[in-house]
């Protein structure tokens, strides 16, 4: 995820917890491995806090094919609009329709009900290139 508008780092003094069972990107997406080749994708609590109050989420289409680093979704807050990048290559198999009516769920529960979409990944070895929780914490300076 990359913000199109900046935000003052002084607003980000809060310490975040990054679940150990997830994989992370340096662009602030998380990946939860699931059944077989299906993974769930969302943005981290760090990213959600940096965005501020999320007011709209544009999700990819089910069936859409994505490659690593493709901009495939957008998260709009009261402060900025940010792209969400595909953390892995694959086909979108599901999107979180809950976010159509309650986009602020991304802020309230980024690792639970605030997930964005699911992918059927085309190459499971790509998971090996993602960060673990400790490495992601270093990326964000926590």
């Amino acid at each position: 995820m990359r913000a199109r508008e900046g935000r003052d780092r002084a607003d980000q003094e809060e310490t975040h917890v990054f679940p150990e069972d997830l994989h992370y990107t340096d662009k602030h997406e998380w990946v939860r491995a699931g059944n077989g080749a299906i993974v769930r994708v969302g943005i981290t609590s760090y990213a959600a806090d940096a965005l501020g109050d999320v007011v709209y989420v544009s999700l990819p289409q089910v069936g859409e094919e994505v490659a690593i680093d493709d901009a495939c979704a957008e998260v709009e807050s009261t402060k900025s609009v940010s792209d969400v990048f595909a953390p892995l290559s694959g086909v979108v198999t599901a999107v979180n329709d809950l976010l159509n009516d309650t986009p602020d769920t991304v802020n309230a529960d980024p690792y639970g009900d605030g997930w964005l979409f699911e992918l059927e990944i085309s190459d499971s070895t790509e998971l090996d290139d993602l960060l673990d929780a400790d490495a992601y914490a270093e990326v964000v300076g926590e």
Side-chain angles (χ1 to χ4, degrees):
M1 188 185 90
R2 294 274 161 95
R4 292 196 197 134
E5 292 181 20
R7 180 180 158 132
D8 187 354
R9 282 199 162 280
D11 292 342
Q12 299 175 12
E13 294 298 320
E14 182 178 331
T15 300
H16 298 89
V17 175
F18 306 116
E20 296 286 331
D21 64 323
L22 302 179
H23 303 274
Y24 299 88
T25 72
D26 60 357
K27 296 180 181 92
H28 312 294
E29 291 87 18
W30 58 259
V31 175
R32 176 175 285 125
N35 299 328
I38 304 294
V39 299
R40 185 167 275 185
V41 177
I43 64 169
T44 66
S45 58
Y46 179 87
D49 288 349
L51 280 167
D53 296 331
V54 174
V55 296
Y56 178 74
V57 179
S58 173
L59 298 169
Q61 295 293 314
V62 171
E64 182 178 339
E65 204 165 323
V66 296
I68 290 178
D69 291 333
D70 280 356
C72 60
E74 286 184 343
V75 178
E76 182 177 336
S77 72
T78 55
K79 298 182 181 218
S80 68
V81 177
S82 297
D83 287 324
V84 176
F85 297 91
L88 303 163
S89 300
V91 175
V92 176
T93 59
V95 296
N96 188 353
D97 290 327
L98 171 71
L99 302 180
N100 291 332
D101 294 326
T102 55
D104 58 331
T105 305
V106 171
N107 296 109
D109 191 12
Y111 302 114
D113 288 340
W115 64 278
L116 301 178
F117 57 92
E118 292 183 345
L119 284 175
E120 182 173 3
I121 58 175
S122 53
D123 182 357
S124 63
T125 63
E126 291 177 350
L127 280 167
D128 298 336
D129 296 329
L130 298 177
L131 305 170
D132 64 16
D134 291 336
Y136 179 70
E138 286 182 29
V139 167
V140 297
E142 294 194 12

